[in-house]
């Protein structure tokens, strides 16, 4: 696909003709909604108990503090991001008692994934507004009616998406990064240097541009574009972290470049950003191997620090587990596999440390890899930090598999909060998002049992079953394993669970047959 040079920074692209090279958001053909028929018979039959692993693997990607959509109004007006799900009625009598059966879900609509061209076509990214569910495909993003599943629009892209964020602005705009089509790819992976903003409700491309060309960066290199490593949105600003290359930010409405990496006498750069209700940066100064780190709450419009928290020299990397309340985690080790060993709650207005939570022997499941604001596992709200524990043996040695539980800590004192939410023998709990002061989580089933979406009360840690995924539904048994060996996105809102694929895989398709790009589950 030919693709013109990006517009000059600050040039609006949302008025008049759409950007050349992308084409308009294509209106749908007069088709029926996606069906919920099972895949062809060529797919290898697998039972729902085998799908326990799929959900387990899937939720480690979406499950941590990452799913944030600014709440819309209750009128259902278009363009507003979807509001948080509401809490259901009590379904059990305690944090670890056997729950009552929740309403059973069924597949409402779904779509098959396009035929994979390699073993790594990237299709991650999904978003919700009051009216639209949008999902990334191969070199495209498509919007579907939330009620019926009918296609509403399709937005072509010149290359594959390389980074997305689940965050969006109050008027339903999000930002993606995609490969530079002028640069060659290596095993299907390109150079991630182009970004674009689009409206989730309409599919309209607002603007697109290339990342800034670097001068001399923190790692001593230059004369190349900033390579995107993560995207964070807060207010009307989209900030892109590039690790040792520094960070840049754009106005989401106009595409105006707000700031870019700039070397100074102290050799300081932003490692990356966390977004949502606040914009937070981790800033690294000095030698990259022996840095001085700080965590700064920024003014989204200017990038100027509103407060600064000075990080102990014991840590090599710092991660933002929650932007508001501000909770950060430090890793003393090296590399993307280094584990968080200590957590701190911080007053975002003053930068003052409030409480310290130390971790005994990696007891809690936190996965931060190399990014600043996309850690998986922790959720914060209502003055507490909620953490899933790592897997451990069941209480009964006769039950196969492992289990875990949710615990909470007081962010003002760092002390453990009373109670816990047990998954139960052979079950596991995985976080999806906060719902006010409560936690929305997925509880996987024991062998031949029921999975469920649950709400964990933020005060008592008692569990309420919101929606069950039964093991005896023929369509579910065939849809859910389609997501089994991939790390998939999950969203839960207004009684519906949205499961989106992240990678297509040619080798697996040749063995198992076509799989699903997404499936939407609900009780009605």
């Amino acid at each position: 696909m030919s693709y013109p040079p990006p517009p000059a920074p600050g040039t609006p692209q949302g008025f008049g003709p759409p950007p050349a090279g992308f084409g308009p958001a294509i209106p749908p053909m007069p088709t029926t909604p996606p069906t919920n028929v099972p895949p062809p018979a060529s797919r290898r039959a697998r039972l729902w108990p085998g799908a326990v692993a799929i959900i387990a693997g899937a939720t480690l990607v979406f499950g941590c503090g990452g799913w944030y959509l600014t709440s819309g109004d209750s009128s259902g007006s278009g363009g507003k991001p979807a509001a948080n799900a509401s809490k259901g009625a009590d379904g059990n009598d305690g944090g670890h008692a056997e729950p009552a059966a929740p309403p059973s879900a069924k597949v409402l609509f779904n779509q098959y994934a396009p035929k994979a061209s390699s073993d790594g076509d990237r299709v991650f990214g999904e978003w919700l507004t009051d009216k639209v569910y949008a999902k990334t495909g191969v070199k495209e993003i498509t919007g579907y009616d939330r009620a019926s599943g009918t296609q509403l629009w399709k937005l072509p892209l010149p290359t594959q998406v390389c980074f997305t964020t689940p965050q969006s602005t109050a008027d339903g705009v999000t930002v993606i990064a995609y490969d530079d089509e002028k640069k060659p790819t290596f095993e299907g992976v390109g150079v991630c240097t182009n970004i674009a903003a689009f409206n989730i409700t309409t599919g309209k491309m607002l603007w697109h541009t290339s990342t800034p060309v670097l001068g001399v960066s923190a790692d001593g290199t230059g004369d190349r574009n900033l390579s995107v490593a993560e995207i964070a949105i807060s207010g009307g600003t989209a900030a892109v972290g590039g690790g040792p290359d520094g960070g840049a930010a754009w106005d989401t409405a106009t595409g105006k470049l707000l700031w870019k990496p700039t070397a100074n006498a102290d050799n300081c750069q932003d490692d990356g950003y966390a977004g949502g209700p606040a914009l937070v940066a981790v800033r690294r100064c000095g030698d990259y191997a022996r840095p001085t780190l700080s965590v700064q709450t920024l003014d989204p419009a200017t990038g100027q620090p509103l407060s600064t928290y000075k990080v102990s020299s014991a840590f090599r990397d710092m991660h933002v587990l929650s932007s508001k309340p501000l909770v950060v985690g430090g890793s003393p080790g090296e590399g993307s596999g280094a584990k968080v060993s200590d957590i701190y709650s911080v007053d975002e207005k003053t930068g003052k440390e409030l409480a310290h939570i130390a971790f005994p022997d990696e007891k809690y499941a936190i996965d931060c890899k190399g990014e600043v604001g996309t850690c998986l596992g922790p959720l914060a709200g209502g003055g507490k930090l909620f953490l899933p524990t790592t897997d451990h043996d069941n209480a009964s040695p006769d039950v196969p598999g492992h289990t875990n539980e949710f615990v909470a800590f007081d962010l003002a004192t760092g002390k453990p909060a009373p109670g816990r939410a047990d998954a139960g023998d052979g079950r596991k709990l995985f976080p999806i998002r906060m719902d006010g002061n409560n936690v929305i989580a997925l509880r996987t089933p024991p062998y031949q049992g029921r999975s469920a979406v649950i709400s964990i009360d933020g005060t008592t840690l008692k569990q309420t079953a919101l929606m069950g995924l039964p093991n005896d539904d023929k369509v579910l048994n065939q849809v859910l394993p389609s997501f089994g060996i991939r790390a998939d996105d999950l969203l839960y809102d207004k009684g519906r669970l949205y499961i989106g694929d992240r990678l297509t895989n040619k080798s697996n398709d040749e063995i198992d047959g076509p799989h699903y790009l997404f499936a939407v589950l609900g009780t009605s």
Side-chain angles (χ1 to χ4, degrees):
M1 175 185 292
S2 62
Y3 181 43
T11 303
Q13 295 294 304
F15 305 95
F22 281 98
I26 301 174
M29 297 292 290
T31 60
T32 56
T35 63
N36 62 350
V37 296
S42 60
R43 170 171 294 281
R44 181 171 55 198
R46 282 175 284 185
L47 297 177
W48 163 236
V52 175
I54 97 180
I55 301 294
T59 48
L60 288 179
V61 170
F62 59 106
C64 293
W67 193 64
Y68 173 85
L69 288 175
T70 306
S71 297
D73 63 20
S74 59
S75 64
S77 59
K80 297 290 186 180
N84 287 342
S86 59
K87 184 177 181 295
D90 286 342
N92 71 359
D93 58 2
H96 57 275
E98 182 65 21
S104 292
K106 59 184 177 181
V107 177
L108 302 178
F109 57 91
N110 54 56
Q111 283 282 12
Y112 290 117
K115 186 176 181 180
S117 62
S118 69
D119 284 343
D121 286 348
R122 288 155 285 158
V123 294
F124 43 81
E126 59 178 353
W127 304 267
L128 288 171
T129 69
D130 288 336
K131 295 183 178 180
V132 174
Y133 167 64
K135 178 72 184 83
T136 299
V138 177
K139 297 184 182 180
E140 66 183 21
I141 300 172
T142 305
Y144 302 89
D145 184 278
R146 281 186 60 165
S148 66
T150 302
Q151 180 184 311
L152 299 175
W153 53 260
K154 182 174 288 187
L155 179 64
L157 299 172
T159 57
Q160 289 189 40
V161 168
C162 47
F163 277 95
T164 66
T165 174
Q167 297 155 357
S168 62
T169 64
D171 56 352
V173 174
T174 193
V175 171
I176 59 171
Y178 53 94
D179 294 338
D180 184 345
E181 68 173 329
K182 298 179 181 179
K183 300 290 179 66
T185 63
F186 178 73
E187 294 184 352
V189 178
V191 181
C192 193
T193 56
N194 291 337
I195 67 167
F198 72 94
N199 185 290
I200 303 168
T201 296
T202 65
K204 183 178 182 179
M205 180 71 67
L206 303 181
W207 52 266
H208 58 88
T209 188
S210 295
T211 56
V213 176
L214 299 172
V216 177
S217 62
D219 63 357
T221 60
D223 195 24
R224 58 184 173 82
N225 291 88
L226 174 72
S227 184
V228 178
E230 62 183 334
I231 304 171
I233 294 176
S234 185
T237 295
V240 165
D245 288 337
W250 290 262
D251 183 288
T252 56
T254 66
K256 177 183 178 182
L257 183 66
L258 300 178
W259 67 84
K260 62 181 180 179
T262 304
N264 57 26
D266 296 323
N267 199 23
C268 296
Q269 300 281 12
D270 291 344
D271 270 0
Y273 306 93
L279 185 62
V280 180
V282 170
R283 192 158 180 82
R284 182 182 300 263
C285 296
D287 188 334
Y288 194 81
R290 293 177 295 276
T292 299
L293 299 175
S294 61
V295 177
Q296 297 181 330
T297 298
L298 306 180
D299 180 342
T302 64
Q304 293 300 307
L306 301 176
S307 68
T308 299
Y309 170 66
K310 295 183 178 180
V311 175
S312 166
S313 60
F315 299 111
R316 298 290 297 274
D317 290 293
M318 212 68 184
H319 309 275
V320 180
L321 310 184
S322 170
S323 63
K324 190 174 184 179
L326 181 53
V327 185
V328 299
S331 170
E334 298 183 26
S336 61
K339 300 294 185 180
V340 169
S341 63
D342 297 79
I343 289 179
Y344 301 88
S345 60
V346 179
D347 186 324
E348 65 265 18
K349 294 181 180 179
T350 64
K352 179 182 177 181
E353 182 181 311
L354 301 176
H356 171 214
I357 303 169
F359 280 14
D361 301 324
E362 299 180 3
K363 181 179 179 180
Y364 303 106
I366 299 180
D367 181 11
C368 289
K369 300 191 184 302
E371 291 79 30
V372 164
T374 52
C375 291
L376 308 174
L379 294 174
K384 292 179 181 178
L385 175 69
F386 300 91
L387 292 173
T389 66
T390 53
D391 296 352
H392 56 80
D393 291 339
N394 297 314
S396 171
D398 298 329
V399 178
H402 293 82
T403 188
N404 75 335
E405 58 270 345
F406 258 80
V407 296
F409 292 87
D410 189 305
L411 289 176
T413 65
K415 295 180 179 180
R420 68 179 187 180
D422 289 339
D425 281 357
R427 303 175 186 266
K428 295 178 185 178
L429 288 172
F430 296 94
I432 297 179
R433 63 173 175 85
M434 292 299 297
D435 175 26
N437 294 337
N438 302 331
V439 173
I440 300 294
L442 184 71
R443 184 176 58 220
T444 65
Y447 184 71
Q448 293 185 336
R450 294 168 59 94
S451 177
V453 177
I454 66 168
S455 174
I456 301 175
D457 187 279
T459 301
T460 64
L461 298 188
K462 290 184 177 181
Q463 301 175 43
T464 298
L466 302 177
M467 184 174 74
L469 307 180
N471 71 330
D472 56 354
D473 185 293
K474 292 181 180 180
V475 175
L476 281 175
N477 285 345
Q478 292 178 311
V479 168
L480 291 173
S482 180
F483 303 95
I485 61 174
R486 304 169 181 87
D488 307 299
D489 290 312
L490 267 74
L491 303 176
Y492 181 78
D493 186 62
K494 297 180 180 177
R496 292 189 173 189
L497 181 68
Y498 301 78
I499 311 176
D501 199 4
R502 293 181 65 83
L503 293 173
T504 62
N505 192 307
K506 184 177 181 180
S507 298
N508 289 338
D509 285 355
E510 290 173 348
I511 297 172
D512 292 340
H515 64 279
Y516 289 94
L517 179 66
F518 70 84
V520 180
L521 286 65
T523 57
S524 62

